[in-house]
Amino acid sequence: GSVINNNSTDNCGIVSMTPSQSSFNCSDVGTNNITLTVEDTSGNTATCTSIVTVQDVESPVANCQNLTIQLDASNMASINGSVINNNSTDNCGIVSMTPSQSSFNCS
């Protein structure tokens, strides 16, 4: 609770500061309303709410593999990111994989 505490006080002393949530993961990315409950030595409690913003700042790791494709009867071929992906990873999950070129022809 000390991380979100902003100088909570009590005339008889504080025995505990308990946040409603203290650990966060990828499902918490964004803003989270966290309630801090402060208890004094007499058992009295008070609460306040803080906004805790969780950010995913770790970039994904892109791993590619080489690929050979054949043009079809119309002299066209296409790919998507999944066919050149080679076990790319991200701590919070990969949303999309887009190749720099996806359509191929004789030119």
Side-chain angles (χ1 to χ4, degrees), residues 47-67:
T47 61
C48 62
T49 302
S50 294
I51 297 172
V52 175
T53 303
V54 176
Q55 298 177 325
D56 173 16
V57 296
E58 187 175 322
S59 297
V61 175
N63 294 316
C64 299
Q65 62 185 348
N66 295 331
L67 178 68

Side-chain angles (χ1 to χ4, degrees), residues 3 6 11 24 38 44 48 55 69 82-83 88 90 94 99 102:
V3 174
N6 190 19
N11 61 330
F24 301 88
V38 178
N44 299 311
C48 62
Q55 298 177 325
I69 58 175
S82 64
V83 298
S88 298
D90 184 70
I94 296 172
S102 59

Side-chain angles (χ1 to χ4, degrees), residues 3-26:
V3 174
I4 61 173
N5 178 43
N6 190 19
N7 297 315
S8 299
T9 60
D10 184 80
N11 61 330
C12 293
I14 294 173
V15 293
S16 68
M17 288 186 281
T18 308
S20 57
Q21 182 177 351
S22 59
S23 64
F24 301 88
N25 60 39
C26 293

Side-chain angles (χ1 to χ4, degrees), residues 33-98:
N33 291 322
I34 306 301
T35 301
L36 178 65
T37 302
V38 178
E39 183 178 0
D40 70 10
T41 57
S42 300
N44 299 311
T45 61
T47 61
C48 62
T49 302
S50 294
I51 297 172
V52 175
T53 303
V54 176
Q55 298 177 325
D56 173 16
V57 296
E58 187 175 322
S59 297
V61 175
N63 294 316
C64 299
Q65 62 185 348
N66 295 331
L67 178 68
T68 301
I69 58 175
Q70 288 79 37
L71 300 177
D72 64 16
S74 302
N75 293 322
M76 300 289 296
S78 63
I79 63 168
N80 59 39
S82 64
V83 298
I84 58 173
N85 177 42
N86 190 18
N87 296 315
S88 298
T89 60
D90 184 70
N91 64 313
C92 285
I94 296 172
V95 174
S96 66
M97 291 180 278
T98 307

